Amino acid sequence: MSRIVYVNGEYLPEEEGRISIFDRGFLFADGVYEVSAVLKGRLVDNQAHLIRLHRSLTELNIPQPLSDDDIIAAQNRLITQNNLEEGMVYLQITRGPADRDFAFPDNPEPTVILFTQQHALIDSPLVERGITIRTVEDMRWKRRDIKTVGLLAPSMAKQIALEAGADDAWMVEDGYVTEGTSNNAFIITHDNVVRTRQLSNLILHGITRAAILRLAQREPITIEETPFTREDAYGAKEAFITSATAFALSVVEIDGHSIGDAKPGPLVRRLRELYIDTALGE
Ligand code: PMP
């Protein structure tokens, strides 16, 4: 049975979802998106994702075509109609169709699409194994704080990592790690300092990053929002990534250097547990 997807107000079998070839999302990557995790059929930290969505739309001057209540209703309807217990809901808003022109159209009619994907998030096989990372040069633009669908550079970075036998890439700029291809990057030093790059226009302001930093305050660890180098990462006690669907996930090898004993470590395990407990308790 095919999924039901949402396209501009309609709920359709996925084969019937259609958008214009003139859509600026397609021609210019002129659009933004959000991914909210679903656990036990319920959205995780969705309000924070909607706040970031507003910000992305505002930065690009795309009018918000639906109220938050309408978005939440659409998300929940897809979860129900697709019997989604665990996975994610994807939401994308583009500036919509217009004759091809670099200038923004005067009266845009944004395109809104949503779909669901089923994934095992809590019991992902990567939790026990941990993931391996290759570092690559960060080739992206300078407004990485806007969550646009212009994802070719991180997609290339991930492909380079996969072809090198790793699970994902961390991107490096001016000698410092910016973030992962679709996640924020963290290290934990031998004196229990959690380090992750500070917020700026050079990284996405991860919703899970913020949640994990809040939860980390409950643990006997210090948090430092400062950039770190590859070498800092090679020598870390533990390392991890955060994203809406990965939660907190251990990194056990970076550019061939084992992190700790190359197994997921206790602090990341603890942060992951805290995050999942909080999400399930929402
Ligand atoms: N950085 C980048 C570049 C991302 O694409 C993502 C996920 N979309 C994240 C960080 C993690 O953000 P979040 O925790 O909000 O999923």
Side-chain angles (χ1 to χ4, degrees):
M1 209 179 69
S2 86
R3 273 173 300 191
I4 300 297
V5 300
Y6 174 101
V7 184
N8 290 329
E10 291 190 285
Y11 295 84
L12 304 163
E14 62 184 67
E15 305 77 17
E16 292 174 27
R18 298 266 182 281
I19 61 158
S20 165
I21 65 161
F22 294 106
D23 196 283
R24 288 182 57 97
F26 178 57
L27 296 179
F28 292 100
D30 186 359
V32 303
Y33 73 107
E34 282 296 331
V35 172
S36 296
V38 174
L39 289 179
K40 294 194 188 299
R42 303 201 12 210
L43 292 157
V44 176
D45 216 353
N46 194 46
Q47 196 53 42
H49 286 279
L50 294 180
I51 291 169
R52 185 173 63 190
L53 174 71
H54 287 299
R55 180 175 181 279
S56 295
L57 290 169
T58 303
E59 290 298 309
L60 295 177
N61 205 17
I62 298 176
Q64 167 139 355
L66 288 182
S67 69
D68 277 1
D69 286 349
D70 288 341
I71 291 175
I72 295 165
Q75 289 171 315
N76 282 320
R77 180 159 164 189
L78 289 187
I79 290 170
T80 306
Q81 291 202 331
N82 294 316
N83 294 316
L84 184 66
E85 272 291 302
E86 193 163 320
M88 59 93 142
V89 183
Y90 178 93
L91 159 68
Q92 179 170 327
I93 301 179
T94 74
R95 204 180 305 273
D99 253 5
R100 187 175 183 281
D101 185 344
F102 278 67
F104 294 170
D106 284 337
N107 296 303
E109 290 179 24
T111 298
V112 184
I113 62 117
L114 289 94
F115 60 81
T116 56
Q117 275 182 197
Q118 196 180 316
H119 296 286
L121 303 181
I122 294 181
D123 290 327
S124 153
L126 298 177
V127 176
E128 291 308 315
R129 168 163 83 72
I131 64 166
T132 59
I133 295 292
R134 287 297 168 278
T135 59
V136 304
E137 190 60 28
D138 197 332
M139 296 181 291
R140 298 174 301 162
W141 75 331
K142 297 280 162 53
R143 289 305 308 273
R144 303 162 194 161
D145 55 314
I146 309 174
K147 195 165 167 61
T148 79
V149 294
L151 295 173
L152 193 53
S155 177
M156 284 172 73
K158 176 136 190 175
Q159 193 59 30
I160 290 167
L162 292 177
E163 285 170 15
D167 296 307
D168 202 351
W170 279 5
M171 297 176 284
V172 176
E173 187 167 65
D174 299 330
Y176 292 96
V177 173
T178 51
E179 56 189 328
T181 59
S182 61
N183 42 66
N184 290 112
F186 297 70
I187 57 172
I188 305 177
T189 66
H190 288 274
D191 42 5
N192 290 340
V193 178
V194 174
R195 286 179 68 186
T196 191
R197 198 181 177 104
Q198 73 277 18
L199 297 181
S200 73
N201 60 333
L202 296 182
I203 62 167
L204 187 76
H205 301 189
I207 302 304
T208 322
R209 174 191 182 282
I212 288 286
L213 290 180
R214 276 197 305 276
L215 293 169
Q217 289 173 2
R218 299 191 199 163
E219 298 299 300
I221 43 186
T222 312
I223 295 160
E224 260 182 30
E225 295 182 60
T226 51
F228 58 86
T229 64
R230 288 184 177 92
E231 289 70 29
D232 293 331
Y234 300 158
K237 179 163 123 183
E238 295 186 42
F240 63 105
I241 58 164
T242 62
S243 79
T245 52
F247 310 149
L249 187 61
S250 286
V251 168
V252 295
E253 188 222 285
I254 303 172
D255 294 338
H257 301 263
S258 292
I259 306 303
D261 57 1
K263 294 202 189 76
L267 277 171
V268 178
R269 202 181 289 273
R270 175 75 189 135
L271 291 173
R272 181 179 175 85
E273 240 171 50
L274 281 172
Y275 181 84
I276 292 173
D277 286 351
T278 310
L280 290 174
E282 262 178 22

